[in-house]
Amino acid sequence: MIVNGKRLWIDSHVHIRGWSDEGDAEREFGIEEIVGVMDADAAHLVWVISYSYPGSRAIKSAPASGVPWTNEGQLRLVQEAPEGRIFGSIAVHPDAVDESLAAIDLYAGEHGFVQVGEVLGYSMGFALDSPAMVQIARKAAEHDIPVQCHVSTAGQQEGEQMRETISLARQVPEARIIAAHALGGRNSYMHITAAEVYYEMGGDNLWLEIINFNTREWLRAAVERLGSQRLIAGTDWVSRGMPPFPPYGIIFPNETPDENPYPCTVASLEGFLRESGCDDEDVAKIAARNSIMLFGLQERIPLGA
């Protein structure tokens, strides 16, 4: 899809902190410094953002107070952003299930947030398919927004996080479940196979994020075995520290463009898709169409002339 002559590119997995780095004051940078990163690219970037540190610390240490505090910070970011450029994700934790359900009602129902996530079971000590997470996924389904579950790109070689993610999808078939980080790390083939088996068993509510587009062999396998309609961009860009922030498209944990193995641009990421065998239709789906459908953005992104 093209917006004002630019490739529309929607990233479902971007972290921007809503409070100061220490978590004791307002954040030290303005929304214009975030939008500046987006506008520096030749593509038309749209981001779905979720919390970063110190929100993760607050949620892990005291979920009942950390969930509403973190979501309040994210709301301020979304409200300050230009129309149709930045959409919010809702922070949750199963040890604060009442607060999490209330947050989904408030932020999806009243403020237009488009996703629950990122759900970080591995680092916060809970299973992604627990009874409380089932409640949270059902509430998300009531508001027709997906749940973004972290699966490991490198660690956890036994694939437990992907197993839990698919288990959650199976238990709540009315919910849409996103496997975050699914493609780009050395667990990619395991994730592709697990998703393929789930689809063959009749599951149809699972999507996989691409974090590292330069891993062409894994992208090719995912498109061939799963279909491009199941894949979305989710690069895990993070606003760490203070501006100037790194450019979009940089590979974590590289923090300077000079260290990156390719130019930090959407054009590079699209090029990797094409080198992996994607045609124009595949690129259009992964870049934007799948996310527009998944997040209900049909009427929320100004498409220009």
Side-chain angles (χ1 to χ4, degrees):
M1 300 180 66
I2 305 299
V3 175
N4 293 330
K6 298 181 177 182
R7 163 69 67 188
L8 176 59
W9 186 274
I10 303 174
D11 194 317
S12 65
H13 196 142
V14 172
H15 293 285
I16 303 176
R17 56 185 173 87
W19 299 102
S20 69
D21 196 36
E22 295 299 321
D24 56 357
E26 300 291 331
R27 68 179 187 274
E28 308 92 334
F29 56 87
I31 194 66
E32 64 278 359
E33 289 164 297
I34 295 297
V35 175
V37 175
M38 303 171 76
D39 287 345
D41 198 283
H44 182 84
L45 276 168
V46 173
W47 284 354
V48 179
I49 66 167
S50 61
Y51 64 90
S52 183
Y53 191 88
S56 53
R57 179 186 62 194
I59 294 172
K60 184 175 182 178
S61 61
S65 58
V67 164
W69 180 81
T70 299
N71 284 317
E72 181 184 345
Q74 297 307 112
L75 177 62
R76 295 184 184 190
L77 284 163
V78 171
Q79 289 178 330
E80 293 171 12
E83 180 185 3
R85 297 298 302 280
I86 293 178
F87 298 93
S89 299
I90 304 164
V92 298
H93 194 294
D95 288 347
V97 67
D98 290 340
E99 291 81 2
S100 296
L101 298 179
I104 295 172
D105 281 334
L106 174 61
Y107 289 95
E110 296 186 23
H111 296 302
F113 280 31
V114 300
Q115 176 176 249
V116 169
E118 178 185 11
V119 183
L120 293 163
Y122 83 106
S123 65
M124 295 194 180
F126 62 84
L128 295 167
D129 59 345
S130 69
M133 277 303 305
V134 168
Q135 285 184 268
I136 288 170
R138 286 176 177 159
K139 176 61 72 173
E142 290 178 14
H143 289 276
D144 201 25
I145 61 172
V147 180
Q148 179 196 54
C149 298
H150 175 101
V151 301
S152 177
T153 53
Q156 302 236 336
Q157 295 299 306
E158 71 279 7
E160 179 60 17
Q161 292 167 38
M162 189 64 171
R163 187 205 66 79
E164 292 175 1
T165 296
I166 292 177
S167 173
L168 181 64
R170 184 178 291 112
Q171 291 183 74
V172 193
E174 69 272 25
R176 288 169 290 168
I177 306 299
I178 299 171
H181 305 294
L183 302 175
R186 64 174 179 260
N187 286 353
S188 294
Y189 284 131
M190 179 193 302
H191 297 156
I192 292 168
T193 299
E196 187 176 31
V197 170
Y198 180 62
Y199 298 148
E200 290 177 351
M201 293 175 64
D204 64 355
N205 60 334
L206 179 69
W207 283 260
L208 280 66
E209 285 181 0
I210 304 169
I211 179 172
N212 292 336
F213 282 77
N214 63 318
T215 53
R216 302 165 186 80
E217 66 276 20
W218 294 326
L219 296 190
R220 184 182 299 275
V223 173
E224 290 177 349
R225 294 169 59 184
L226 308 179
S228 59
Q229 72 277 5
R230 291 292 178 180
L231 309 178
I232 60 175
T235 63
D236 202 22
W237 187 90
V238 181
S239 63
R240 293 192 161 200
M242 291 294 296
F245 294 124
Y248 178 75
I250 199 164
I251 296 179
F252 181 83
N254 293 9
E255 295 186 358
T256 68
D258 290 342
E259 295 173 324
N260 213 63
Y262 57 82
C264 299
T265 65
V266 166
S268 292
L269 308 187
E270 179 177 341
F272 293 134
L273 289 176
R274 296 189 183 278
E275 291 172 11
S276 302
C278 290
D279 60 19
D280 289 346
E281 184 69 14
D282 294 324
V283 171
K285 288 177 180 177
I286 295 170
R289 286 182 186 168
N290 296 339
S291 292
I292 288 173
M293 180 277 297
L294 192 57
F295 300 114
L297 301 178
Q298 292 86 344
E299 307 298 328
R300 300 186 64 184
I301 298 176
L303 297 180

